[in-house]
Amino acid sequence: MDTKFSVAIHVLILISESPQLLSSEQMAGSVGTNSSYIRKILSLLKRGKIIDGHQGISGYKLTTIPERINLLQIYISIMEKSKVHLLDIHQNPNDRCVVGNYIKSVLFEIFTNAEKAFADMLAGKTLADCINTMRNKINNDAQPNTI
């Protein structure tokens, strides 16, 4: 399973919430990976116009506020696709077999509906939603345990 999407959200939250500009090395330390992988993710986010950074200057910034960046934009930028594509149908079913003859049409509708539902869910969530959920979890963990 590809983890680029979750890493992208991780680094975007870091970029959004850090009071100073962060290097790819600092982000890699938080993600638990190497800085070259982070630079690849940052390059995809930059190409998707989600972040901005300049050569020779360490650090990145969001191109807009987190409330205006939805998770579908991030997903499409990171996965380098023009739309959500999660599921593939095998290429060469035997059309002389009754199952083989109809499997593509049966699965196409199911897979298309699943991908649409996934895209709609991502479009309805923003980077700000992720940040707010994280803040709530941090605040809940900071509360003293009482009986």
Side-chain angles (χ1 to χ4, degrees), residues 3 8 52 63 82 94 98 112 121 129 133:
T3 61
D52 192 24
T63 58
S82 60
N94 182 347
V98 67
T112 300
M121 189 276 307
D129 293 328
T133 299

Side-chain angles (χ1 to χ4, degrees), residues 45-64:
L45 291 169
K46 188 174 177 182
R47 189 177 314 145
K49 299 184 184 342
I50 294 171
I51 62 168
D52 192 24
H54 300 285
Q55 193 168 357
I57 299 173
S58 183
Y60 299 85
K61 61 181 180 175
L62 300 178
T63 58
T64 189

